[in-house]
Coordinates of all heavy atoms in Angstrom, one line a residue:
M201 N -28.1 29.0 29.2 CA -27.6 28.0 28.2 C -28.6 28.0 27.0 O -29.8 28.0 27.2 CB -27.6 26.6 28.9 CG -27.1 25.5 28.0 SD -26.9 23.9 28.9 CE -28.6 23.4 28.9
F202 N -28.0 27.9 25.9 CA -28.8 27.9 24.6 C -28.8 26.4 24.1 O -27.8 25.8 24.1 CB -28.2 28.7 23.6 CG -28.2 30.2 23.9 CD1 -27.1 30.8 24.6 CD2 -29.3 31.0 23.6 CE1 -27.1 32.1 24.9 CE2 -29.3 32.3 23.9 CZ -28.2 32.9 24.6
V203 N -30.0 26.0 23.8 CA -30.2 24.6 23.2 C -31.0 24.7 22.0 O -32.1 25.3 21.9 CB -30.9 23.7 24.3 CG1 -31.1 22.3 23.7 CG2 -30.2 23.7 25.6
A204 N -30.6 24.1 20.9 CA -31.3 23.9 19.7 C -32.0 22.5 19.8 O -31.4 21.5 20.1 CB -30.4 24.0 18.5
V205 N -33.3 22.5 19.5 CA -34.1 21.3 19.6 C -34.5 20.9 18.1 O -35.1 21.7 17.5 CB -35.3 21.3 20.5 CG1 -36.0 20.0 20.5 CG2 -34.9 21.7 21.9
F206 N -34.1 19.7 17.7 CA -34.5 19.2 16.4 C -35.6 18.2 16.5 O -35.4 17.2 17.1 CB -33.2 18.7 15.7 CG -32.1 19.6 15.5 CD1 -31.2 19.9 16.5 CD2 -32.0 20.3 14.3 CE1 -30.2 20.8 16.3 CE2 -31.0 21.2 14.1 CZ -30.1 21.5 15.1
K207 N -36.7 18.4 15.8 CA -37.7 17.4 15.8 C -38.0 17.1 14.3 O -38.3 18.0 13.5 CB -39.0 18.0 16.5 CG -38.8 18.2 17.9 CD -40.1 18.5 18.6 CE -39.9 18.8 20.1 NZ -41.2 19.1 20.8
Y208 N -38.0 15.9 14.0 CA -38.3 15.4 12.6 C -38.8 14.0 12.7 O -38.5 13.2 13.6 CB -37.1 15.6 11.7 CG -35.8 15.0 12.2 CD1 -35.4 13.7 12.0 CD2 -35.0 15.9 13.0 CE1 -34.2 13.2 12.6 CE2 -33.8 15.4 13.5 CZ -33.4 14.1 13.3 OH -32.2 13.6 13.8
D209 N -39.7 13.7 11.7 CA -40.3 12.4 11.6 C -39.2 11.3 11.5 O -38.3 11.5 10.7 CB -41.2 12.3 10.5 CG -42.5 13.1 10.7 OD1 -42.8 13.3 11.9 OD2 -43.1 13.5 9.7
P210 N -39.3 10.2 12.2 CA -38.4 9.1 11.9 C -38.7 8.5 10.5 O -39.7 8.8 9.9 CB -38.7 8.1 13.1 CG -40.1 8.4 13.5 CD -40.3 9.9 13.2
P211 N -37.8 7.7 10.0 CA -38.0 7.1 8.7 C -39.3 6.4 8.6 O -39.8 5.7 9.5 CB -36.8 6.1 8.6 CG -35.8 6.6 9.5 CD -36.5 7.2 10.6
N212 N -39.9 6.6 7.4 CA -41.2 6.0 7.1 C -42.4 6.5 7.9 O -43.5 6.0 7.7 CB -41.1 4.4 7.2 CG -40.1 3.9 6.3 OD1 -39.9 4.3 5.1 ND2 -39.3 3.0 6.8
A213 N -42.2 7.5 8.7 CA -43.4 8.0 9.4 C -44.0 9.2 8.7 O -45.1 9.5 8.8 CB -42.9 8.5 10.8
N214 N -43.2 9.9 7.9 CA -43.7 11.1 7.2 C -44.2 10.6 5.8 O -44.1 9.5 5.4 CB -42.6 12.1 7.1 CG -41.3 11.6 6.4 OD1 -41.2 10.4 6.1 ND2 -40.4 12.5 6.2
A215 N -44.8 11.5 5.2 CA -45.5 11.2 3.9 C -44.6 10.6 2.9 O -45.0 9.7 2.1 CB -46.2 12.5 3.4
T216 N -43.4 11.1 2.8 CA -42.5 10.7 1.8 C -41.7 9.5 2.2 O -41.1 8.8 1.4 CB -41.5 11.8 1.5 OG1 -40.8 12.2 2.7 CG2 -42.2 13.1 0.9
G217 N -41.6 9.2 3.5 CA -40.8 8.1 4.0 C -39.3 8.4 4.1 O -38.5 7.5 4.4
F218 N -38.9 9.6 3.8 CA -37.5 9.9 3.8 C -36.9 10.1 5.2 O -37.6 10.8 6.0 CB -37.2 11.2 3.0 CG -37.4 11.1 1.5 CD1 -38.0 12.0 0.8 CD2 -36.9 10.0 0.8 CE1 -38.2 11.9 -0.6 CE2 -37.0 9.9 -0.5 CZ -37.7 10.8 -1.2
P219 N -35.8 9.5 5.4 CA -35.1 9.8 6.7 C -34.5 11.2 6.7 O -34.1 11.7 5.6 CB -34.1 8.7 6.8 CG -33.8 8.3 5.4 CD -35.0 8.6 4.6
H220 N -34.3 11.8 7.9 CA -33.5 13.0 8.0 C -32.5 12.8 9.1 O -32.6 11.9 9.9 CB -34.5 14.2 8.4 CG -35.6 14.4 7.4 ND1 -35.4 14.8 6.2 CD2 -36.9 14.2 7.5 CE1 -36.5 14.9 5.5 NE2 -37.5 14.5 6.3
S221 N -31.5 13.7 9.1 CA -30.5 13.6 10.1 C -30.0 15.1 10.3 O -30.4 16.0 9.6 CB -29.3 12.7 9.6 OG -28.8 13.2 8.4
V222 N -29.1 15.2 11.3 CA -28.6 16.5 11.6 C -27.1 16.5 11.5 O -26.4 15.7 12.2 CB -29.0 17.1 13.0 CG1 -28.5 18.5 13.2 CG2 -30.5 17.0 13.2
Y223 N -26.5 17.4 10.7 CA -25.1 17.5 10.5 C -24.7 19.0 10.9 O -25.5 19.9 10.7 CB -24.6 17.3 9.1 CG -24.5 15.8 8.7 CD1 -25.6 15.0 8.5 CD2 -23.2 15.3 8.6 CE1 -25.5 13.7 8.2 CE2 -23.1 13.9 8.2 CZ -24.2 13.2 8.0 OH -24.1 11.8 7.7
L224 N -23.5 19.1 11.5 CA -23.0 20.4 11.8 C -21.9 20.7 10.8 O -20.9 19.9 10.7 CB -22.5 20.3 13.3 CG -21.9 21.6 13.9 CD1 -23.0 22.7 14.0 CD2 -21.3 21.3 15.3
F225 N -22.0 21.8 10.1 CA -21.0 22.2 9.1 C -19.9 22.9 9.8 O -20.1 23.6 10.8 CB -21.6 23.1 8.1 CG -22.6 22.4 7.2 CD1 -23.9 22.7 7.3 CD2 -22.2 21.6 6.2 CE1 -24.9 22.1 6.5 CE2 -23.1 21.0 5.3 CZ -24.5 21.3 5.5
P226 N -18.7 22.8 9.3 CA -17.5 23.4 9.9 C -17.4 24.9 9.7 O -16.8 25.6 10.4 CB -16.3 22.7 9.4 CG -16.8 22.2 8.1 CD -18.2 21.9 8.2
N227 N -18.1 25.4 8.6 CA -18.0 26.8 8.3 C -19.1 27.2 7.3 O -19.9 26.4 6.8 CB -16.6 27.1 7.6 CG -16.3 26.2 6.4 OD1 -17.2 26.1 5.5 ND2 -15.2 25.5 6.4
Y228 N -19.1 28.5 7.0 CA -20.1 29.1 6.2 C -20.2 28.5 4.8 O -21.3 28.3 4.3 CB -19.9 30.6 6.2 CG -20.8 31.4 5.2 CD1 -22.1 31.7 5.6 CD2 -20.3 31.9 4.0 CE1 -22.9 32.4 4.8 CE2 -21.2 32.6 3.2 CZ -22.5 32.9 3.6 OH -23.3 33.6 2.7
W229 N -19.1 28.4 4.2 CA -19.1 27.9 2.8 C -19.6 26.5 2.6 O -20.2 26.2 1.6 CB -17.8 28.2 2.1 CG -17.7 29.6 1.7 CD1 -16.8 30.6 2.3 CD2 -18.5 30.3 0.7 NE1 -17.1 31.8 1.7 CE2 -18.1 31.7 0.8 CE3 -19.5 30.0 -0.1 CZ2 -18.6 32.7 0.0 CZ3 -20.1 30.9 -0.9 CH2 -19.6 32.3 -0.9
S230 N -19.2 25.6 3.5 CA -19.7 24.3 3.5 C -21.2 24.3 3.7 O -21.9 23.5 3.0 CB -19.0 23.4 4.5 OG -19.1 23.9 5.8
F231 N -21.7 25.2 4.5 CA -23.1 25.3 4.7 C -23.8 25.8 3.4 O -24.8 25.2 3.0 CB -23.3 26.3 5.9 CG -24.7 26.8 6.0 CD1 -25.7 26.0 6.6 CD2 -25.0 28.1 5.7 CE1 -27.0 26.5 6.7 CE2 -26.3 28.6 5.9 CZ -27.3 27.8 6.4
I232 N -23.3 26.8 2.8 CA -23.9 27.4 1.6 C -23.9 26.3 0.5 O -24.9 26.2 -0.2 CB -23.0 28.6 1.1 CG1 -23.2 29.8 2.1 CG2 -23.4 29.1 -0.3 CD1 -24.7 30.3 2.2
K233 N -22.8 25.6 0.4 CA -22.7 24.6 -0.7 C -23.3 23.2 -0.3 O -23.4 22.3 -1.2 CB -21.3 24.4 -1.1 CG -20.6 25.6 -1.7 CD -19.1 25.3 -1.9 CE -18.4 26.5 -2.5 NZ -17.0 26.3 -2.6
C234 N -23.7 23.1 0.9 CA -24.2 21.8 1.4 C -23.1 20.8 1.2 O -23.3 19.6 0.6 CB -25.5 21.3 0.8 SG -26.9 22.3 1.3
D235 N -21.9 21.1 1.5 CA -20.7 20.2 1.4 C -20.5 19.5 2.7 O -20.1 20.1 3.7 CB -19.5 21.1 1.0 CG -18.2 20.3 1.0 OD1 -18.3 19.0 1.3 OD2 -17.2 20.8 0.7
F236 N -20.8 18.2 2.7 CA -20.8 17.5 3.9 C -19.5 16.8 4.2 O -19.4 16.0 5.2 CB -22.0 16.4 3.9 CG -23.3 17.0 4.1 CD1 -24.0 17.5 3.0 CD2 -23.9 17.1 5.4 CE1 -25.3 18.0 3.2 CE2 -25.1 17.7 5.6 CZ -25.8 18.2 4.5
R237 N -18.5 17.0 3.4 CA -17.3 16.2 3.5 C -16.6 16.4 4.9 O -16.1 15.4 5.4 CB -16.3 16.6 2.4 CG -16.6 15.9 1.1 CD -15.7 16.4 0.0 NE -15.9 17.9 -0.3 CZ -15.2 18.6 -1.2 NH1 -14.3 18.0 -1.9 NH2 -15.5 19.8 -1.3
K238 N -16.7 17.6 5.4 CA -16.1 17.8 6.8 C -17.2 18.1 7.8 O -16.8 18.5 8.9 CB -15.1 19.0 6.7 CG -13.8 18.6 5.9 CD -12.8 19.7 5.9 CE -11.6 19.2 5.1 NZ -10.7 20.3 4.9
A239 N -18.4 17.9 7.5 CA -19.5 18.1 8.4 C -19.5 16.9 9.4 O -19.1 15.8 9.1 CB -20.8 18.2 7.7
K240 N -20.0 17.2 10.6 CA -20.1 16.2 11.6 C -21.5 15.8 11.8 O -22.4 16.6 12.1 CB -19.5 16.8 12.9 CG -19.4 15.9 14.1 CD -18.8 16.6 15.3 CE -18.9 15.7 16.5 NZ -18.7 16.6 17.7
R241 N -21.8 14.5 11.8 CA -23.1 14.0 12.0 C -23.4 14.0 13.5 O -22.7 13.4 14.3 CB -23.2 12.6 11.5 CG -24.6 11.9 11.5 CD -24.5 10.5 11.1 NE -25.8 9.8 11.1 CZ -26.5 9.7 9.9 NH1 -26.1 10.1 8.8 NH2 -27.6 9.0 10.0
I242 N -24.4 14.8 13.9 CA -24.7 14.9 15.4 C -26.0 14.2 15.8 O -26.3 14.0 16.9 CB -24.7 16.4 15.8 CG1 -25.7 17.2 15.1 CG2 -23.3 17.0 15.7 CD1 -25.9 18.6 15.6
A243 N -26.8 13.8 14.8 CA -28.1 13.1 15.1 C -28.5 12.2 13.9 O -28.4 12.6 12.8 CB -29.2 14.0 15.4
D244 N -28.9 11.0 14.2 CA -29.2 10.1 13.1 C -30.7 10.1 12.9 O -31.5 10.8 13.6 CB -28.7 8.6 13.5 CG -29.5 8.0 14.6 OD1 -30.7 8.3 14.8 OD2 -28.8 7.2 15.3
P245 N -31.2 9.4 11.9 CA -32.7 9.6 11.5 C -33.7 9.3 12.6 O -34.8 9.8 12.6 CB -32.8 8.6 10.3 CG -31.4 8.6 9.7 CD -30.5 8.7 10.9
S246 N -33.3 8.4 13.6 CA -34.3 8.1 14.6 C -34.3 9.1 15.8 O -35.3 9.1 16.6 CB -34.0 6.7 15.2 OG -32.7 6.7 15.9
E247 N -33.3 10.0 15.9 CA -33.2 10.8 17.0 C -34.2 12.1 17.0 O -34.3 12.8 18.0 CB -31.8 11.3 17.2 CG -30.9 10.2 17.7 CD -29.4 10.6 17.9 OE1 -29.2 11.2 19.0 OE2 -28.6 10.5 17.0
G248 N -34.8 12.3 15.9 CA -35.7 13.5 15.9 C -37.1 13.2 16.3 O -38.0 14.1 16.4
A249 N -37.4 11.9 16.7 CA -38.8 11.6 17.1 C -39.1 12.0 18.5 O -38.2 12.3 19.3 CB -38.9 10.0 17.0
G250 N -40.4 12.1 18.8 CA -40.8 12.4 20.1 C -40.4 13.8 20.5 O -40.7 14.8 19.9
E251 N -39.7 13.9 21.6 CA -39.2 15.2 22.1 C -38.1 15.8 21.3 O -37.6 16.9 21.6 CB -38.8 15.1 23.6 CG -40.0 14.8 24.6 CD -41.1 15.8 24.5 OE1 -40.8 17.0 24.7 OE2 -42.2 15.5 24.1
G252 N -37.6 15.0 20.4 CA -36.5 15.5 19.5 C -35.1 15.3 20.1 O -34.9 14.8 21.1
F253 N -34.2 15.9 19.3 CA -32.8 15.8 19.6 C -32.4 17.2 20.1 O -32.7 18.2 19.5 CB -32.0 15.4 18.4 CG -30.6 15.6 18.5 CD1 -29.8 14.9 19.3 CD2 -30.0 16.7 17.7 CE1 -28.4 15.1 19.4 CE2 -28.6 16.9 17.8 CZ -27.8 16.1 18.6
E254 N -31.6 17.3 21.2 CA -31.2 18.5 21.7 C -29.7 18.7 21.5 O -28.9 17.8 21.8 CB -31.4 18.6 23.3 CG -32.9 18.8 23.6 CD -33.1 19.2 25.0 OE1 -32.1 19.2 25.8 OE2 -34.3 19.4 25.4
F255 N -29.3 19.9 21.1 CA -27.9 20.2 20.9 C -27.6 21.5 21.6 O -28.2 22.5 21.4 CB -27.6 20.4 19.4 CG -26.2 20.6 19.1 CD1 -25.3 19.6 19.0 CD2 -25.7 21.9 18.9 CE1 -23.9 19.8 18.7 CE2 -24.4 22.2 18.6 CZ -23.5 21.1 18.5
V256 N -26.7 21.4 22.5 CA -26.3 22.6 23.3 C -25.4 23.5 22.5 O -24.3 23.0 22.0 CB -25.7 22.2 24.7 CG1 -25.3 23.4 25.5 CG2 -26.6 21.3 25.5
L257 N -25.7 24.8 22.5 CA -24.9 25.8 21.8 C -24.0 26.4 22.8 O -24.4 27.4 23.5 CB -25.8 26.8 21.1 CG -26.9 26.2 20.2 CD1 -27.8 27.3 19.8 CD2 -26.3 25.5 19.0
K258 N -22.8 25.8 23.0 CA -21.9 26.2 24.1 C -21.2 27.6 23.8 O -20.9 28.3 24.7 CB -20.9 25.1 24.3 CG -21.5 23.9 24.9 CD -20.5 22.8 25.1 CE -21.1 21.5 25.6 NZ -20.4 20.3 25.2
K259 N -21.0 27.8 22.5 CA -20.1 29.0 22.2 C -21.0 30.1 21.6 O -22.0 29.8 20.9 CB -19.0 28.6 21.3 CG -18.0 27.6 21.8 CD -17.0 27.2 20.8 CE -16.1 26.1 21.3 NZ -15.3 25.6 20.2
M260 N -20.5 31.3 21.7 CA -21.1 32.5 21.1 C -20.5 32.5 19.6 O -19.6 33.3 19.4 CB -20.8 33.8 21.8 CG -21.4 33.8 23.2 SD -23.2 33.9 23.2 CE -23.5 32.9 24.6
Q261 N -21.0 31.7 18.8 CA -20.6 31.6 17.4 C -21.8 31.2 16.6 O -22.8 30.8 17.1 CB -19.5 30.5 17.3 CG -20.0 29.1 17.7 CD -19.1 28.0 17.2 OE1 -17.9 27.9 17.6 NE2 -19.7 27.1 16.3
T262 N -21.6 31.3 15.3 CA -22.6 30.8 14.4 C -22.5 29.3 14.2 O -21.4 28.8 14.0 CB -22.5 31.5 13.0 OG1 -22.5 32.9 13.2 CG2 -23.8 31.2 12.2
Y263 N -23.6 28.6 14.3 CA -23.7 27.2 14.1 C -24.5 26.9 12.8 O -25.5 27.5 12.6 CB -24.4 26.5 15.2 CG -23.7 26.5 16.5 CD1 -23.7 27.5 17.4 CD2 -22.9 25.3 16.9 CE1 -23.0 27.5 18.6 CE2 -22.2 25.3 18.1 CZ -22.3 26.4 19.0 OH -21.6 26.3 20.2
Y264 N -23.9 26.1 12.0 CA -24.6 25.8 10.7 C -25.0 24.3 10.7 O -24.2 23.4 10.8 CB -23.6 26.0 9.5 CG -23.0 27.4 9.5 CD1 -21.7 27.6 10.0 CD2 -23.7 28.4 8.9 CE1 -21.2 28.9 9.9 CE2 -23.2 29.7 8.9 CZ -21.9 29.9 9.4 OH -21.4 31.2 9.4
F265 N -26.3 24.1 10.5 CA -26.9 22.8 10.5 C -27.5 22.4 9.1 O -28.0 23.3 8.4 CB -28.0 22.7 11.5 CG -27.5 22.9 12.9 CD1 -27.8 24.2 13.5 CD2 -26.9 22.0 13.7 CE1 -27.4 24.4 14.8 CE2 -26.5 22.2 15.0 CZ -26.7 23.4 15.6
G266 N -27.5 21.1 8.8 CA -28.2 20.7 7.6 C -28.5 19.2 7.7 O -27.9 18.4 8.5
C267 N -29.5 18.8 6.9 CA -29.8 17.4 6.8 C -28.9 16.7 5.8 O -28.7 17.3 4.7 CB -31.3 17.2 6.3 SG -31.7 15.5 6.0
G268 N -28.2 15.6 6.2 CA -27.2 15.0 5.3 C -27.7 13.8 4.6 O -26.9 13.1 4.0
E269 N -29.0 13.4 4.7 CA -29.4 12.2 4.1 C -29.4 12.3 2.5 O -29.5 13.4 2.0 CB -30.8 11.8 4.6 CG -30.9 11.6 6.0 CD -29.9 10.5 6.5 OE1 -30.0 9.4 6.1 OE2 -28.9 10.9 7.2
Y270 N -29.3 11.2 1.9 CA -29.2 11.1 0.4 C -28.2 12.1 -0.2 O -28.5 12.9 -1.0 CB -30.6 11.3 -0.2 CG -31.6 10.3 0.2 CD1 -32.5 10.5 1.2 CD2 -31.5 9.0 -0.3 CE1 -33.4 9.5 1.6 CE2 -32.4 8.0 0.1 CZ -33.3 8.3 1.0 OH -34.2 7.3 1.5
K271 N -27.0 12.0 0.4 CA -25.9 12.8 -0.1 C -26.2 14.3 0.0 O -25.8 15.1 -0.9 CB -25.4 12.4 -1.5 CG -24.9 11.0 -1.5 CD -24.4 10.6 -2.9 CE -23.8 9.2 -2.8 NZ -23.5 8.7 -4.2
G272 N -27.1 14.7 0.9 CA -27.4 16.1 1.1 C -28.4 16.7 0.2 O -28.5 17.9 0.0
I273 N -29.2 15.9 -0.5 CA -30.2 16.4 -1.4 C -31.3 17.2 -0.7 O -31.8 18.2 -1.3 CB -30.8 15.2 -2.3 CG1 -31.5 15.8 -3.5 CG2 -31.8 14.4 -1.4 CD1 -31.8 14.8 -4.5
H274 N -31.6 16.9 0.5 CA -32.6 17.7 1.3 C -32.0 19.1 1.5 O -32.7 20.1 1.5 CB -32.9 17.1 2.6 CG -33.7 15.8 2.4 ND1 -33.9 14.9 3.5 CD2 -34.2 15.2 1.3 CE1 -34.6 13.9 3.0 NE2 -34.8 14.0 1.7
C275 N -30.7 19.1 1.8 CA -30.0 20.4 2.0 C -29.9 21.2 0.8 O -30.3 22.4 0.7 CB -28.6 20.1 2.6 SG -27.6 21.6 3.0
K276 N -29.5 20.5 -0.3 CA -29.3 21.2 -1.6 C -30.5 21.7 -2.3 O -30.6 22.8 -2.7 CB -28.5 20.3 -2.5 CG -27.1 20.0 -2.2 CD -26.3 19.3 -3.3 CE -24.9 18.9 -2.9 NZ -24.8 17.6 -2.2
T277 N -31.5 20.8 -2.4 CA -32.7 21.1 -3.2 C -33.9 21.4 -2.3 O -34.8 22.1 -2.7 CB -33.1 20.0 -4.1 OG1 -33.5 18.8 -3.4 CG2 -31.9 19.6 -5.0
G278 N -33.9 21.0 -1.0 CA -35.0 21.3 -0.2 C -34.8 22.4 0.8 O -35.7 22.7 1.6
N279 N -33.6 22.9 0.8 CA -33.2 24.0 1.7 C -33.4 23.5 3.2 O -33.8 24.4 4.0 CB -34.0 25.2 1.4 CG -33.2 26.5 1.8 OD1 -32.0 26.5 1.8 ND2 -33.9 27.5 2.2
M280 N -33.1 22.3 3.5 CA -33.3 21.7 4.8 C -32.0 22.0 5.6 O -31.2 21.1 5.9 CB -33.6 20.3 4.8 CG -34.2 19.7 6.1 SD -34.8 18.0 5.9 CE -35.8 17.9 7.3
K281 N -31.8 23.3 5.9 CA -30.7 23.7 6.7 C -31.0 25.0 7.3 O -31.9 25.8 6.9 CB -29.5 23.8 5.7 CG -29.7 24.9 4.6 CD -28.4 24.9 3.7 CE -28.6 25.9 2.6 NZ -27.4 26.0 1.8
F282 N -30.2 25.4 8.3 CA -30.3 26.7 8.9 C -29.1 27.0 9.7 O -28.3 26.1 10.1 CB -31.6 26.8 9.7 CG -31.5 26.1 11.1 CD1 -31.2 26.8 12.2 CD2 -31.8 24.8 11.2 CE1 -31.2 26.2 13.4 CE2 -31.7 24.1 12.4 CZ -31.4 24.8 13.5
A283 N -28.9 28.3 10.0 CA -27.8 28.8 10.8 C -28.4 29.5 12.0 O -29.5 30.1 11.9 CB -26.9 29.7 10.0
V284 N -27.7 29.4 13.1 CA -28.2 30.1 14.3 C -27.0 30.6 15.1 O -25.9 30.0 15.1 CB -29.0 29.1 15.2 CG1 -28.2 27.9 15.7 CG2 -29.7 29.8 16.3
M285 N -27.2 31.7 15.8 CA -26.1 32.3 16.6 C -26.6 32.7 17.9 O -27.5 33.6 18.0 CB -25.4 33.5 15.9 CG -24.2 34.0 16.7 SD -23.2 35.1 15.8 CE -24.2 36.6 15.8
P286 N -26.2 32.1 19.0 CA -26.6 32.6 20.3 C -26.0 33.9 20.6 O -24.8 34.1 20.3 CB -26.1 31.5 21.3 CG -25.1 30.7 20.5 CD -25.3 31.0 19.1
L287 N -26.7 34.8 21.3 CA -26.2 36.1 21.6 C -26.4 36.3 23.1 O -27.4 36.0 23.7 CB -26.9 37.2 20.9 CG -26.6 37.3 19.4 CD1 -27.6 38.3 18.7 CD2 -25.2 37.7 19.1
K288 N -25.4 37.0 23.7 CA -25.6 37.3 25.1 C -26.6 38.4 25.2 O -26.9 39.1 24.3 CB -24.2 37.8 25.7 CG -23.3 36.6 25.9 CD -22.0 37.1 26.4 CE -21.0 35.9 26.6 NZ -19.7 36.3 26.8
H289 N -27.1 38.6 26.4 CA -28.1 39.7 26.7 C -27.6 41.0 26.2 O -26.4 41.4 26.6 CB -28.4 39.7 28.2 CG -29.5 40.6 28.5 ND1 -30.8 40.4 28.2 CD2 -29.4 41.8 29.1 CE1 -31.5 41.4 28.6 NE2 -30.7 42.3 29.2
W290 N -28.4 41.7 25.5 CA -28.0 43.0 24.9 C -28.4 44.1 25.9 O -29.5 44.1 26.4 CB -28.6 43.3 23.6 CG -28.1 42.5 22.5 CD1 -28.5 41.2 22.1 CD2 -26.9 42.8 21.7 NE1 -27.7 40.8 21.0 CE2 -26.8 41.7 20.8 CE3 -26.1 43.9 21.6 CZ2 -25.7 41.7 19.8 CZ3 -25.1 43.9 20.6 CH2 -24.9 42.8 19.8
R291 N -27.5 45.1 26.2 CA -27.9 46.2 26.9 C -27.5 47.5 26.1 O -26.5 47.6 25.6 CB -27.1 46.3 28.3 CG -27.6 45.4 29.3 CD -26.7 45.4 30.5 NE -26.8 44.3 31.4 CZ -27.8 44.1 32.3 NH1 -28.7 45.0 32.5 NH2 -27.8 43.0 33.0
F292 N -28.5 48.4 26.0 CA -28.3 49.6 25.2 C -28.2 50.8 26.2 O -28.8 50.8 27.2 CB -29.4 49.8 24.2 CG -29.4 48.7 23.2 CD1 -30.3 47.7 23.2 CD2 -28.5 48.8 22.1 CE1 -30.2 46.7 22.3 CE2 -28.5 47.8 21.1 CZ -29.3 46.8 21.2
Ligands
CU46 CU1 -33.7 15.3 5.3

């Protein structure tokens, strides 16, 4: 089982005081553009504290994540986003 763990400071704990969150984008282009209109919020600003927030990657597909706070400004200007793809064991 693949699990992505998100750890981020809760609001007002980091130097800037900015909250963060985790959104799952529906596709590549919404990820590239940081278009959150069809993105799904999977963790709120308080869930990244401590041991963090765990998201199980159930499918062998690319998952696109981004911070959606402040209308996506962290995603757009701070590049606070990433993509990940779980792969089955490779045999050559
Ligand atoms: Cu953020």
